[in-house]
Amino acid sequence: MNEHTLPDALRYLIAARRAETTGLEALAHVCTLVTQAGELVHALQKERGYSNVYLAAEHASARETLLAYAADADVQARALRQGLERLDPAAQATADKARLLTRVAYVLYRLDELPALRRRVLARDLDIETSLAHYTRLINGLLGLVFDAADTALDPEVTRALVALFNLMQGKELAGQERACGVRGFAAGHFTAPQHAQLAQLIDGQDRCFEAFLAHAQPPQQAAWAALAACEAELRQLRGMAARTSPDARVDAALAQIWFDVQTARIDGMRAVEAELSAALPALCQARIARAHDDLDNHRRLARQLAEPAAASAVLFTVQGNALDAGAPDLAGPMLSPQLSRSLLDLVQAQAQRLQALSDALAGARSSLDARKHIEQAKQLLMAHHTLSEAAAHDKLRKAAMSRGLKLEEFARQVLAAGAGGQA
Amino acid sequence: MNEHTLPDALRYLIAARRAETTGLEALAHVCTLVTQAGELVHALQKERGYSNVYLAAEHASARETLLAYAADADVQARALRQGLERLDPAAQATADKARLLTRVAYVLYRLDELPALRRRVLARDLDIETSLAHYTRLINGLLGLVFDAADTALDPEVTRALVALFNLMQGKELAGQERACGVRGFAAGHFTAPQHAQLAQLIDGQDRCFEAFLAHAQPPQQAAWAALAACEAELRQLRGMAARTSPDARVDAALAQIWFDVQTARIDGMRAVEAELSAALPALCQARIARAHDDLDNHRRLARQLAEPAAASAVLFTVQGNALDAGAPDLAGPMLSPQLSRSLLDLVQAQAQRLQALSDALAGARSSLDARKHIEQAKQLLMAHHTLSEAAAHDKLRKAAMSRGLKLEEFARQVLAAGAGGQA
């Protein structure tokens, strides 16, 4: 019995399940890309850090070390590019991929700039700030790729894992920026007012990231995180010392090394949790794909039963109809026995119900990404309206939310609603 | 210059735009299906109405008239089936289509039951209630197809039009049910308590549908609607009379015919607005597709410029970069002139910004569908918890919302949050 002789309802039911399965297989590949992006981010974070060292002081071996870091990053970049080719830009992609493909275009544009950036760093033709800004922009592009992967995945369980992973990666990047900012402040003996504001913003950003990470992670990663967080007493002490410094209240410059070591240990710990989370992604995708294939087999079994009317009495499906159909008993279709007809209806209704539940769960898993988008948009609005720096806009937003007893994202939504109203 | 020799960023940018264009073309076909579903709904509403007449009384010509209505509906059903074949269930569909395909499976299952239903109606082997329930279930399935089309469309303008169309169709269906309920009440001289509750629910449901329709329709349809609404004085009078009837306060049974005529004129008016709205869909889709093709041409023009470095100075793109990139000046990529490189970056950023704006607008256009889903889910929850009928659950929900000064959807969300909390 080929599919064209099946009842129409069953053909479309099988098509729907196959569409889901195809989507899950594509998602499994996107998860691979996310892992590769994470590796590249980690390599670039090291290269960025060492570029600062190289630009700050003339070491004999510094050039070779920097080239070695760059070579490591290139290995990861090549792996990512190869993975991206499998997204197959020449093939007919589907509309839901437009955002991810555009983000890929941005990342590749920034990756193509990397050789020129490195030439200028090696020639010491850049100051530290500019070098930092360029590396950070590329890293942010890669983190954006992970964000878009999380925000466009169509499976709630995989979305949860990607949301956890994105927040961990983003928090780790902010921790790296905090490390760099702290090294400069401690080395100078005190922090300037803009540095105080930047530190506060970076700490606040990390708190939000790790809170979202914990809310979406599985118990093993939550446990790994709890072990890390238990070692943060020293970090809190150092942060407190940094906050109390001023031109009139200086500290020993040797604290810079202690700060660097504490933050590095912490970031390495985060990297270990990140690797664990990434490693769990393929199994998660495969489990979802296997379940989808089982369902497809279930549909095909019904198709075979329909081909052998004599065997009809052996069919027994356990899926239940839902409440949508209350109110009228069923009429047998023109070509099916009542029992087979009921089985088909049960399958259709179970699938409709399952897709609705998936869609609700997906909305839930994505809600923290929405919160993040709203905060970013509100910040952009404040920056544009009051010509503020990003740190100043963040500070303004945070203080205004606190004074109103609102969560940051709640207040951000109010700012956006008011802003949209003002423009309308 | 074929696409494989282009800068990677441009290849992915073109792929993203092509993906959008493909999606819009698929959406244009879904809009055709929605129009066909609307025609079939209208034909089935007539067939349902006449089935009641046939089952209620023995007219000489009733059988032929009913068969003629059924033949009309079959013409529309065949057109819809042919349109559905173009969704091509045998092809590799994409994951975002799973929900629509499942809904199609349900509709086809119910359509396959139609011949059996008609045989029983013709044999007068069914009472009016049962016949009504079966036709209504099929019509609801078709309206669900329109709902899912609106809820899965990826373009905000088309989504707005589909949301308007769905609400108009749904409101028209509720008006048809109100007409049938009113005919029975007036013919009996008074309405029973369950009939009073049903009328209240149907009127409330229509109000919500038409409010949502007006919020999403374009000025021409809003104007057409205003003309219709101006003729509702008689309707309001009749509704008031119906509400005041009781076993002790009867009215003249001749009101049944007046009620029927007033409601029929109103429904015909709705049908005219619906046809206008449907007719505007293809042009809307074509305009969006044409814009997408223009953008694709823009990208390809850049591709040609890249192939002719001598002509580079002639390139001038008007798109502007966005704020994402503030903070670091650009480095020329390794293979492009600074000017071409900047043009490419502008295109990437303009596209990212446009997709974000589209996604925000899409969320806005879909929000009334979410409200509808939440109200339905809250109703199901109340029906299950308190073993209520749908009308009673709706009534309970509406009164509780009013007593709290909340909109129905706001209170529904609270009910769902409390319900989910109770189950967790």
Side-chain angles (χ1 to χ4, degrees), chain B residues 61-91:
Chain B
S61 63
R63 188 185 167 88
E64 278 60 46
T65 310
L66 182 54
L67 287 174
Y69 277 121
D72 283 350
D74 278 342
V75 170
Q76 302 301 341
R78 266 195 302 278
L80 178 63
R81 277 180 192 271
Q82 277 170 12
L84 288 173
E85 276 308 311
R86 279 192 49 205
L87 280 184
D88 202 2

PDB file of all heavy atoms in Angstrom, chain B residues 61-91:
ATOM      1  N   SER B  61     -40.400  19.596  -1.935  1.00  0.00           N
ATOM      2  CA  SER B  61     -39.164  19.835  -2.676  1.00  0.00           C
ATOM      3  C   SER B  61     -37.933  19.835  -1.769  1.00  0.00           C
ATOM      4  O   SER B  61     -36.831  20.105  -2.226  1.00  0.00           O
ATOM      5  CB  SER B  61     -39.260  21.183  -3.385  1.00  0.00           C
ATOM      6  OG  SER B  61     -39.381  22.202  -2.401  1.00  0.00           O
ATOM      7  N   ALA B  62     -38.124  19.551  -0.482  1.00  0.00           N
ATOM      8  CA  ALA B  62     -37.023  19.728   0.465  1.00  0.00           C
ATOM      9  C   ALA B  62     -35.825  18.854   0.119  1.00  0.00           C
ATOM     10  O   ALA B  62     -34.681  19.289   0.209  1.00  0.00           O
ATOM     11  CB  ALA B  62     -37.504  19.439   1.885  1.00  0.00           C
ATOM     12  N   ARG B  63     -36.078  17.623  -0.284  1.00  0.00           N
ATOM     13  CA  ARG B  63     -34.992  16.697  -0.565  1.00  0.00           C
ATOM     14  C   ARG B  63     -34.101  17.225  -1.690  1.00  0.00           C
ATOM     15  O   ARG B  63     -32.874  17.226  -1.573  1.00  0.00           O
ATOM     16  CB  ARG B  63     -35.578  15.330  -0.936  1.00  0.00           C
ATOM     17  CG  ARG B  63     -34.536  14.244  -1.056  1.00  0.00           C
ATOM     18  CD  ARG B  63     -35.152  12.928  -1.559  1.00  0.00           C
ATOM     19  NE  ARG B  63     -34.095  12.033  -1.956  1.00  0.00           N
ATOM     20  CZ  ARG B  63     -33.480  11.194  -1.121  1.00  0.00           C
ATOM     21  NH1 ARG B  63     -33.853  11.128   0.135  1.00  0.00           N
ATOM     22  NH2 ARG B  63     -32.498  10.435  -1.549  1.00  0.00           N
ATOM     23  N   GLU B  64     -34.737  17.722  -2.772  1.00  0.00           N
ATOM     24  CA  GLU B  64     -33.959  18.224  -3.909  1.00  0.00           C
ATOM     25  C   GLU B  64     -33.152  19.457  -3.509  1.00  0.00           C
ATOM     26  O   GLU B  64     -32.001  19.616  -3.897  1.00  0.00           O
ATOM     27  CB  GLU B  64     -34.881  18.570  -5.093  1.00  0.00           C
ATOM     28  CG  GLU B  64     -35.269  17.364  -5.936  1.00  0.00           C
ATOM     29  CD  GLU B  64     -36.007  16.310  -5.117  1.00  0.00           C
ATOM     30  OE1 GLU B  64     -36.916  16.688  -4.350  1.00  0.00           O
ATOM     31  OE2 GLU B  64     -35.644  15.116  -5.199  1.00  0.00           O
ATOM     32  N   THR B  65     -33.804  20.348  -2.720  1.00  0.00           N
ATOM     33  CA  THR B  65     -33.090  21.554  -2.292  1.00  0.00           C
ATOM     34  C   THR B  65     -31.871  21.183  -1.456  1.00  0.00           C
ATOM     35  O   THR B  65     -30.778  21.729  -1.637  1.00  0.00           O
ATOM     36  CB  THR B  65     -34.038  22.458  -1.475  1.00  0.00           C
ATOM     37  OG1 THR B  65     -35.244  22.620  -2.220  1.00  0.00           O
ATOM     38  CG2 THR B  65     -33.405  23.810  -1.216  1.00  0.00           C
ATOM     39  N   LEU B  66     -32.056  20.233  -0.534  1.00  0.00           N
ATOM     40  CA  LEU B  66     -30.945  19.815   0.323  1.00  0.00           C
ATOM     41  C   LEU B  66     -29.814  19.220  -0.515  1.00  0.00           C
ATOM     42  O   LEU B  66     -28.630  19.514  -0.298  1.00  0.00           O
ATOM     43  CB  LEU B  66     -31.441  18.805   1.363  1.00  0.00           C
ATOM     44  CG  LEU B  66     -30.388  18.316   2.358  1.00  0.00           C
ATOM     45  CD1 LEU B  66     -29.712  19.488   3.065  1.00  0.00           C
ATOM     46  CD2 LEU B  66     -31.012  17.375   3.390  1.00  0.00           C
ATOM     47  N   LEU B  67     -30.185  18.390  -1.509  1.00  0.00           N
ATOM     48  CA  LEU B  67     -29.160  17.790  -2.371  1.00  0.00           C
ATOM     49  C   LEU B  67     -28.410  18.871  -3.152  1.00  0.00           C
ATOM     50  O   LEU B  67     -27.201  18.762  -3.372  1.00  0.00           O
ATOM     51  CB  LEU B  67     -29.798  16.780  -3.333  1.00  0.00           C
ATOM     52  CG  LEU B  67     -30.239  15.470  -2.670  1.00  0.00           C
ATOM     53  CD1 LEU B  67     -30.993  14.586  -3.672  1.00  0.00           C
ATOM     54  CD2 LEU B  67     -29.028  14.716  -2.103  1.00  0.00           C
ATOM     55  N   ALA B  68     -29.129  19.931  -3.528  1.00  0.00           N
ATOM     56  CA  ALA B  68     -28.472  21.018  -4.262  1.00  0.00           C
ATOM     57  C   ALA B  68     -27.465  21.737  -3.361  1.00  0.00           C
ATOM     58  O   ALA B  68     -26.344  22.052  -3.788  1.00  0.00           O
ATOM     59  CB  ALA B  68     -29.517  22.004  -4.781  1.00  0.00           C
ATOM     60  N   TYR B  69     -27.858  21.987  -2.090  1.00  0.00           N
ATOM     61  CA  TYR B  69     -26.915  22.609  -1.154  1.00  0.00           C
ATOM     62  C   TYR B  69     -25.682  21.718  -0.959  1.00  0.00           C
ATOM     63  O   TYR B  69     -24.548  22.187  -0.911  1.00  0.00           O
ATOM     64  CB  TYR B  69     -27.588  22.868   0.204  1.00  0.00           C
ATOM     65  CG  TYR B  69     -28.399  24.148   0.240  1.00  0.00           C
ATOM     66  CD1 TYR B  69     -29.758  24.123   0.525  1.00  0.00           C
ATOM     67  CD2 TYR B  69     -27.789  25.377   0.002  1.00  0.00           C
ATOM     68  CE1 TYR B  69     -30.511  25.293   0.563  1.00  0.00           C
ATOM     69  CE2 TYR B  69     -28.527  26.549   0.035  1.00  0.00           C
ATOM     70  CZ  TYR B  69     -29.887  26.508   0.318  1.00  0.00           C
ATOM     71  OH  TYR B  69     -30.607  27.665   0.349  1.00  0.00           O
ATOM     72  N   ALA B  70     -25.928  20.407  -0.842  1.00  0.00           N
ATOM     73  CA  ALA B  70     -24.814  19.474  -0.641  1.00  0.00           C
ATOM     74  C   ALA B  70     -23.886  19.482  -1.853  1.00  0.00           C
ATOM     75  O   ALA B  70     -22.652  19.434  -1.713  1.00  0.00           O
ATOM     76  CB  ALA B  70     -25.351  18.069  -0.378  1.00  0.00           C
ATOM     77  N   ALA B  71     -24.485  19.571  -3.050  1.00  0.00           N
ATOM     78  CA  ALA B  71     -23.664  19.590  -4.266  1.00  0.00           C
ATOM     79  C   ALA B  71     -22.792  20.846  -4.296  1.00  0.00           C
ATOM     80  O   ALA B  71     -21.611  20.796  -4.662  1.00  0.00           O
ATOM     81  CB  ALA B  71     -24.558  19.522  -5.505  1.00  0.00           C
ATOM     82  N   ASP B  72     -23.368  21.994  -3.873  1.00  0.00           N
ATOM     83  CA  ASP B  72     -22.578  23.233  -3.790  1.00  0.00           C
ATOM     84  C   ASP B  72     -21.397  23.047  -2.841  1.00  0.00           C
ATOM     85  O   ASP B  72     -20.264  23.437  -3.153  1.00  0.00           O
ATOM     86  CB  ASP B  72     -23.442  24.389  -3.250  1.00  0.00           C
ATOM     87  CG  ASP B  72     -24.377  24.938  -4.314  1.00  0.00           C
ATOM     88  OD1 ASP B  72     -24.215  24.543  -5.491  1.00  0.00           O
ATOM     89  OD2 ASP B  72     -25.255  25.745  -3.961  1.00  0.00           O
ATOM     90  N   ALA B  73     -21.671  22.463  -1.684  1.00  0.00           N
ATOM     91  CA  ALA B  73     -20.603  22.265  -0.699  1.00  0.00           C
ATOM     92  C   ALA B  73     -19.531  21.343  -1.267  1.00  0.00           C
ATOM     93  O   ALA B  73     -18.333  21.545  -1.040  1.00  0.00           O
ATOM     94  CB  ALA B  73     -21.179  21.701   0.602  1.00  0.00           C
ATOM     95  N   ASP B  74     -19.970  20.327  -2.042  1.00  0.00           N
ATOM     96  CA  ASP B  74     -18.992  19.390  -2.607  1.00  0.00           C
ATOM     97  C   ASP B  74     -18.064  20.079  -3.605  1.00  0.00           C
ATOM     98  O   ASP B  74     -16.882  19.740  -3.691  1.00  0.00           O
ATOM     99  CB  ASP B  74     -19.711  18.213  -3.275  1.00  0.00           C
ATOM    100  CG  ASP B  74     -20.124  17.167  -2.242  1.00  0.00           C
ATOM    101  OD1 ASP B  74     -19.556  17.200  -1.125  1.00  0.00           O
ATOM    102  OD2 ASP B  74     -21.009  16.345  -2.548  1.00  0.00           O
ATOM    103  N   VAL B  75     -18.610  21.025  -4.365  1.00  0.00           N
ATOM    104  CA  VAL B  75     -17.759  21.775  -5.304  1.00  0.00           C
ATOM    105  C   VAL B  75     -16.650  22.477  -4.515  1.00  0.00           C
ATOM    106  O   VAL B  75     -15.467  22.420  -4.871  1.00  0.00           O
ATOM    107  CB  VAL B  75     -18.597  22.804  -6.096  1.00  0.00           C
ATOM    108  CG1 VAL B  75     -17.678  23.740  -6.887  1.00  0.00           C
ATOM    109  CG2 VAL B  75     -19.568  22.089  -7.026  1.00  0.00           C
ATOM    110  N   GLN B  76     -17.033  23.122  -3.409  1.00  0.00           N
ATOM    111  CA  GLN B  76     -16.040  23.839  -2.593  1.00  0.00           C
ATOM    112  C   GLN B  76     -15.062  22.866  -1.938  1.00  0.00           C
ATOM    113  O   GLN B  76     -13.872  23.153  -1.820  1.00  0.00           O
ATOM    114  CB  GLN B  76     -16.737  24.678  -1.508  1.00  0.00           C
ATOM    115  CG  GLN B  76     -17.730  25.703  -2.050  1.00  0.00           C
ATOM    116  CD  GLN B  76     -17.082  26.688  -3.005  1.00  0.00           C
ATOM    117  OE1 GLN B  76     -15.859  26.856  -3.023  1.00  0.00           O
ATOM    118  NE2 GLN B  76     -17.899  27.323  -3.837  1.00  0.00           N
ATOM    119  N   ALA B  77     -15.575  21.720  -1.493  1.00  0.00           N
ATOM    120  CA  ALA B  77     -14.705  20.740  -0.831  1.00  0.00           C
ATOM    121  C   ALA B  77     -13.664  20.202  -1.807  1.00  0.00           C
ATOM    122  O   ALA B  77     -12.501  20.007  -1.450  1.00  0.00           O
ATOM    123  CB  ALA B  77     -15.545  19.601  -0.246  1.00  0.00           C
ATOM    124  N   ARG B  78     -14.102  19.977  -3.063  1.00  0.00           N
ATOM    125  CA  ARG B  78     -13.140  19.481  -4.064  1.00  0.00           C
ATOM    126  C   ARG B  78     -12.059  20.519  -4.330  1.00  0.00           C
ATOM    127  O   ARG B  78     -10.881  20.188  -4.449  1.00  0.00           O
ATOM    128  CB  ARG B  78     -13.866  19.111  -5.367  1.00  0.00           C
ATOM    129  CG  ARG B  78     -14.239  17.633  -5.456  1.00  0.00           C
ATOM    130  CD  ARG B  78     -14.604  17.225  -6.884  1.00  0.00           C
ATOM    131  NE  ARG B  78     -15.720  18.016  -7.401  1.00  0.00           N
ATOM    132  CZ  ARG B  78     -17.006  17.753  -7.149  1.00  0.00           C
ATOM    133  NH1 ARG B  78     -17.342  16.720  -6.395  1.00  0.00           N
ATOM    134  NH2 ARG B  78     -17.960  18.517  -7.650  1.00  0.00           N
ATOM    135  N   ALA B  79     -12.465  21.792  -4.412  1.00  0.00           N
ATOM    136  CA  ALA B  79     -11.484  22.863  -4.649  1.00  0.00           C
ATOM    137  C   ALA B  79     -10.474  22.901  -3.498  1.00  0.00           C
ATOM    138  O   ALA B  79      -9.264  23.028  -3.718  1.00  0.00           O
ATOM    139  CB  ALA B  79     -12.196  24.208  -4.779  1.00  0.00           C
ATOM    140  N   LEU B  80     -10.973  22.762  -2.267  1.00  0.00           N
ATOM    141  CA  LEU B  80     -10.070  22.783  -1.115  1.00  0.00           C
ATOM    142  C   LEU B  80      -9.115  21.591  -1.153  1.00  0.00           C
ATOM    143  O   LEU B  80      -7.911  21.732  -0.935  1.00  0.00           O
ATOM    144  CB  LEU B  80     -10.873  22.777   0.191  1.00  0.00           C
ATOM    145  CG  LEU B  80     -10.036  22.742   1.469  1.00  0.00           C
ATOM    146  CD1 LEU B  80      -9.169  23.999   1.593  1.00  0.00           C
ATOM    147  CD2 LEU B  80     -10.917  22.603   2.711  1.00  0.00           C
ATOM    148  N   ARG B  81      -9.652  20.401  -1.472  1.00  0.00           N
ATOM    149  CA  ARG B  81      -8.789  19.215  -1.532  1.00  0.00           C
ATOM    150  C   ARG B  81      -7.688  19.382  -2.572  1.00  0.00           C
ATOM    151  O   ARG B  81      -6.538  19.001  -2.344  1.00  0.00           O
ATOM    152  CB  ARG B  81      -9.605  17.966  -1.881  1.00  0.00           C
ATOM    153  CG  ARG B  81     -10.298  17.320  -0.696  1.00  0.00           C
ATOM    154  CD  ARG B  81     -11.078  16.091  -1.164  1.00  0.00           C
ATOM    155  NE  ARG B  81     -11.970  15.595  -0.146  1.00  0.00           N
ATOM    156  CZ  ARG B  81     -11.637  14.702   0.787  1.00  0.00           C
ATOM    157  NH1 ARG B  81     -10.415  14.211   0.824  1.00  0.00           N
ATOM    158  NH2 ARG B  81     -12.515  14.295   1.680  1.00  0.00           N
ATOM    159  N   GLN B  82      -8.053  19.956  -3.724  1.00  0.00           N
ATOM    160  CA  GLN B  82      -7.028  20.169  -4.754  1.00  0.00           C
ATOM    161  C   GLN B  82      -5.973  21.150  -4.268  1.00  0.00           C
ATOM    162  O   GLN B  82      -4.779  20.947  -4.474  1.00  0.00           O
ATOM    163  CB  GLN B  82      -7.675  20.695  -6.040  1.00  0.00           C
ATOM    164  CG  GLN B  82      -8.255  19.570  -6.886  1.00  0.00           C
ATOM    165  CD  GLN B  82      -9.114  20.090  -8.028  1.00  0.00           C
ATOM    166  OE1 GLN B  82      -9.100  21.281  -8.319  1.00  0.00           O
ATOM    167  NE2 GLN B  82      -9.869  19.201  -8.651  1.00  0.00           N
ATOM    168  N   GLY B  83      -6.425  22.204  -3.600  1.00  0.00           N
ATOM    169  CA  GLY B  83      -5.471  23.170  -3.050  1.00  0.00           C
ATOM    170  C   GLY B  83      -4.561  22.514  -2.034  1.00  0.00           C
ATOM    171  O   GLY B  83      -3.354  22.772  -1.997  1.00  0.00           O
ATOM    172  N   LEU B  84      -5.131  21.634  -1.215  1.00  0.00           N
ATOM    173  CA  LEU B  84      -4.338  20.961  -0.183  1.00  0.00           C
ATOM    174  C   LEU B  84      -3.262  20.074  -0.800  1.00  0.00           C
ATOM    175  O   LEU B  84      -2.164  19.954  -0.254  1.00  0.00           O
ATOM    176  CB  LEU B  84      -5.246  20.122   0.722  1.00  0.00           C
ATOM    177  CG  LEU B  84      -6.140  20.919   1.676  1.00  0.00           C
ATOM    178  CD1 LEU B  84      -7.113  19.991   2.386  1.00  0.00           C
ATOM    179  CD2 LEU B  84      -5.298  21.676   2.690  1.00  0.00           C
ATOM    180  N   GLU B  85      -3.588  19.457  -1.942  1.00  0.00           N
ATOM    181  CA  GLU B  85      -2.590  18.589  -2.582  1.00  0.00           C
ATOM    182  C   GLU B  85      -1.316  19.367  -2.883  1.00  0.00           C
ATOM    183  O   GLU B  85      -0.224  18.812  -2.887  1.00  0.00           O
ATOM    184  CB  GLU B  85      -3.139  17.979  -3.878  1.00  0.00           C
ATOM    185  CG  GLU B  85      -3.959  16.718  -3.669  1.00  0.00           C
ATOM    186  CD  GLU B  85      -3.245  15.659  -2.838  1.00  0.00           C
ATOM    187  OE1 GLU B  85      -2.080  15.336  -3.122  1.00  0.00           O
ATOM    188  OE2 GLU B  85      -3.866  15.156  -1.881  1.00  0.00           O
ATOM    189  N   ARG B  86      -1.482  20.681  -3.147  1.00  0.00           N
ATOM    190  CA  ARG B  86      -0.291  21.487  -3.451  1.00  0.00           C
ATOM    191  C   ARG B  86       0.574  21.711  -2.216  1.00  0.00           C
ATOM    192  O   ARG B  86       1.707  22.165  -2.333  1.00  0.00           O
ATOM    193  CB  ARG B  86      -0.687  22.819  -4.082  1.00  0.00           C
ATOM    194  CG  ARG B  86      -0.973  22.673  -5.583  1.00  0.00           C
ATOM    195  CD  ARG B  86      -1.080  24.016  -6.259  1.00  0.00           C
ATOM    196  NE  ARG B  86       0.037  24.897  -5.924  1.00  0.00           N
ATOM    197  CZ  ARG B  86      -0.021  26.228  -5.962  1.00  0.00           C
ATOM    198  NH1 ARG B  86      -1.148  26.813  -6.302  1.00  0.00           N
ATOM    199  NH2 ARG B  86       1.025  26.957  -5.655  1.00  0.00           N
ATOM    200  N   LEU B  87       0.039  21.429  -1.015  1.00  0.00           N
ATOM    201  CA  LEU B  87       0.902  21.431   0.179  1.00  0.00           C
ATOM    202  C   LEU B  87       1.843  20.237   0.108  1.00  0.00           C
ATOM    203  O   LEU B  87       2.807  20.144   0.853  1.00  0.00           O
ATOM    204  CB  LEU B  87       0.081  21.319   1.465  1.00  0.00           C
ATOM    205  CG  LEU B  87      -0.590  22.548   2.036  1.00  0.00           C
ATOM    206  CD1 LEU B  87      -1.256  22.187   3.364  1.00  0.00           C
ATOM    207  CD2 LEU B  87       0.403  23.664   2.268  1.00  0.00           C
ATOM    208  N   ASP B  88       1.493  19.266  -0.754  1.00  0.00           N
ATOM    209  CA  ASP B  88       2.378  18.162  -1.096  1.00  0.00           C
ATOM    210  C   ASP B  88       2.824  17.345   0.116  1.00  0.00           C
ATOM    211  O   ASP B  88       3.976  17.423   0.537  1.00  0.00           O
ATOM    212  CB  ASP B  88       3.615  18.728  -1.817  1.00  0.00           C
ATOM    213  CG  ASP B  88       4.288  17.644  -2.648  1.00  0.00           C
ATOM    214  OD1 ASP B  88       3.772  16.515  -2.672  1.00  0.00           O
ATOM    215  OD2 ASP B  88       5.329  17.942  -3.250  1.00  0.00           O
ATOM    216  N   PRO B  89       1.919  16.538   0.668  1.00  0.00           N
ATOM    217  CA  PRO B  89       2.274  15.782   1.864  1.00  0.00           C
ATOM    218  C   PRO B  89       3.408  14.786   1.629  1.00  0.00           C
ATOM    219  O   PRO B  89       4.059  14.362   2.578  1.00  0.00           O
ATOM    220  CB  PRO B  89       0.975  15.061   2.240  1.00  0.00           C
ATOM    221  CG  PRO B  89       0.144  15.073   1.010  1.00  0.00           C
ATOM    222  CD  PRO B  89       0.523  16.307   0.254  1.00  0.00           C
ATOM    223  N   ALA B  90       3.661  14.416   0.358  1.00  0.00           N
ATOM    224  CA  ALA B  90       4.720  13.438   0.113  1.00  0.00           C
ATOM    225  C   ALA B  90       6.101  14.091   0.110  1.00  0.00           C
ATOM    226  O   ALA B  90       7.113  13.423   0.249  1.00  0.00           O
ATOM    227  CB  ALA B  90       4.474  12.723  -1.222  1.00  0.00           C
ATOM    228  N   ALA B  91       6.148  15.433  -0.051  1.00  0.00           N
ATOM    229  CA  ALA B  91       7.446  16.115  -0.099  1.00  0.00           C
ATOM    230  C   ALA B  91       8.005  16.297   1.306  1.00  0.00           C
ATOM    231  O   ALA B  91       7.303  16.126   2.294  1.00  0.00           O
ATOM    232  CB  ALA B  91       7.290  17.467  -0.775  1.00  0.00           C
TER     233      ALA B  91
END
